[in-house]
Amino acid sequence: VRAVVLETDGTLALRDRPKPTADGECVVRVIAAGICGTDLELLRGYAGFSGVPGHEFVGVVEAASGREANWVGRRVVGEITVGCGECAACRTAGPGHCEVRTVVGIRGRDGAFAEYLSLPARDLHALPASVDDVTAVFVEPAAAACRVAEQVRIEPGMRAAVVGAGRLGLLVAQVLRNRGADVIVVVRSGRAESLATALGFKTVAVAAAGTSLARRFDLTVDATGDPDGFDTAQALVRPRGTIVLKSTFHGETPLSLSPLVVDEITLVGSRCGPFDSAIEELSAGRINVKPLVAGIYPLDRFAEAFERARRGGKVILTPAPGNEES
Ligand SMILES: [Zn+2]
Ligand SMILES: [Zn+2]
């Protein structure tokens, strides 16, 4: 089966790979898969991953073994971490924190930029017909956005600033708004600004934000994917406010900790989130993803697709669209 492979030298290539078998897991034919900021970071060396990237996908279960046979034929999305199920982390913090976990397309497990992938049935969520394939690609990042509302109590009228109008930032902004927060999006480019405005958000340019809006917000979220996003989030948060960190990138951030101590800031690291909430929000139309789609490409045009993704917006690859057999 065809797959886009990230080689150890950081380049991508289309390769022929053995088709996964239903050996205790479900084999999923991938209909569509989204390129996210994390994938672009993987190319720069984040997580030291080589293999098939891609962790935002929708597909149809084609094969499953034994008790899981009832999954065959169902249209699904998948949680991305697979824990051992036995260690202390798995039993308390969840499989996402298992020390020997694999993560689809990020750590020790091939991902979705391929015609097929495999995942245990416990990671799969069946989709209602009300969520179309393009929207379904957003379930994983929308879940990550919903995670913020699990970690921080969002009060109606709460002043929130989302730094970064990228794919994830605009999902987080919508989740916060749906829960009653008064949300402003901090943007860096005209394109980001028009996207945020199209979704009904007030925006402010990053340069102006640090001065005119300094220390105004109860909650700030860094969703830039850049090391300097944190500085902006820190400049905007009020004393005793909360900063949520959504950016994962390759490299380190120099950080001056004293201001955080003096202002008694709460820092919250935030990663994967609840798929059920995300599916519900998307199915009810409470999160609008369509303006975020920048392009849809077949697998063999992956190079073009990645190039497009670097310029912003959600780019979707379609490894095995429709119902044809490979
Ligand atoms: Zn992602
Ligand atoms: Zn474990």
Side-chain angles (χ1 to χ4, degrees), residues 109-142:
R109 175 178 279 272
D110 280 340
F113 300 151
E115 289 172 302
Y116 291 91
L117 61 75
S118 78
L119 258 185
R122 65 175 183 276
D123 280 59
L124 300 179
H125 294 256
L127 282 171
S130 53
V131 178
D132 63 43
D133 289 336
V134 167
T135 302
V137 167
F138 288 86
V139 169
E140 194 276 334

Side-chain angles (χ1 to χ4, degrees), residues 83-90 98-100:
C84 71
E86 277 151 31
C87 71
C90 276
C98 175
E99 288 204 11
V100 296

Side-chain angles (χ1 to χ4, degrees), residues 160-165 170 182-197 200-214 216-217 220-221 224 232-233 235-236:
V162 175
V163 185
L170 290 173
D182 183 11
V183 182
I184 193 164
V185 178
V186 181
V187 299
R188 204 158 44 177
S189 69
R191 195 192 164 276
E193 182 183 359
S194 49
L195 206 50
T197 308
F201 289 105
K202 291 173 286 181
T203 63
V204 61
V206 63
T211 50
S212 66
L213 297 174
R216 295 272 191 91
F217 295 90
T220 64
V221 180
T224 58
T232 308
L236 296 176

